[in-house]
Amino acid sequence: VMQECQSICPMPAAEGESAEDELEDDDAAVCASSGDASCEFAGASLRFFLYDVKFGEGFNLQREVFPRMGHVVALLNDRVRQRCGGSFGRGRCAEWALVLPPWCRVVHWWSDTKHVPWREFFDAKALRSSKVTVLEFEEYA
């Protein structure tokens, strides 16, 4: 994670207040006091994990990175659930989504530099059937 709003550990929830509500308040307070622009969306319910591969990598390597990054995002989401009482919420309890990088150039195909979405090569329904939320880069951008 290159940039993330860092929050203090939440205090136990007061009677009648959920831990998630308190967590949102702590995130907002820390972010407001820090002046950090990355904290603008501390109350968001979804965080995005972006990755890329080295320029010049072949088709199979680019394809193979997807399940590995999906596994990383699944592990991140497991940690979020553990920290947040078994479910997703907002701020530090927000779910991570995997953003697929566009295919830019497959060197041994002598392909164009035009960005190509994953759905051009793979079944979009199958891509989205993964254990984690998956977005094409153009949906994120």
Side-chain angles (χ1 to χ4, degrees):
V1 178
M2 295 184 69
Q3 188 172 16
E4 180 181 86
C5 177
Q6 298 297 315
S7 300
I8 58 173
C9 295
M11 299 297 291
E15 191 172 344
E17 184 177 296
S18 75
E20 183 181 307
D21 292 338
E22 186 173 302
L23 196 56
E24 288 177 31
D25 293 342
D26 285 346
D27 282 343
V30 171
C31 291
S33 67
S34 73
D36 186 346
S38 70
C39 293
E40 180 179 349
F41 301 105
S45 61
L46 193 61
R47 293 185 278 182
F48 303 96
F49 188 94
L50 287 80
Y51 74 95
D52 204 353
V53 295
K54 184 177 80 175
F55 178 76
E57 293 295 350
F59 181 85
N60 281 331
L61 184 117
Q62 289 185 53
R63 177 197 48 79
E64 181 57 33
V65 174
F66 165 60
R68 293 175 187 191
M69 291 299 101
H71 179 70
V72 168
V73 171
L75 292 175
L76 284 170
N77 283 334
D78 287 346
R79 296 286 303 266
V80 168
R81 280 191 205 98
Q82 288 174 2
R83 180 177 62 226
C84 298
S87 63
F88 295 120
R90 297 190 174 281
R92 292 186 67 218
C93 292
E95 176 186 11
W96 284 95
L98 178 63
V99 179
L100 300 173
W103 293 79
C104 297
R105 185 178 191 112
V106 179
V107 175
H108 49 271
W109 287 358
W110 298 98
S111 61
D112 193 352
T113 57
K114 179 184 139 210
H115 292 176
V116 179
W118 282 67
R119 67 180 174 275
E120 294 291 321
F121 297 114
F122 305 101
D123 178 39
K125 187 176 177 182
L127 288 171
R128 296 191 189 281
S129 69
S130 125
K131 180 180 175 183
V132 299
T133 301
V134 177
L135 301 170
E136 293 269 9
F137 184 77
E138 63 192 24
E139 294 172 296
Y140 165 78

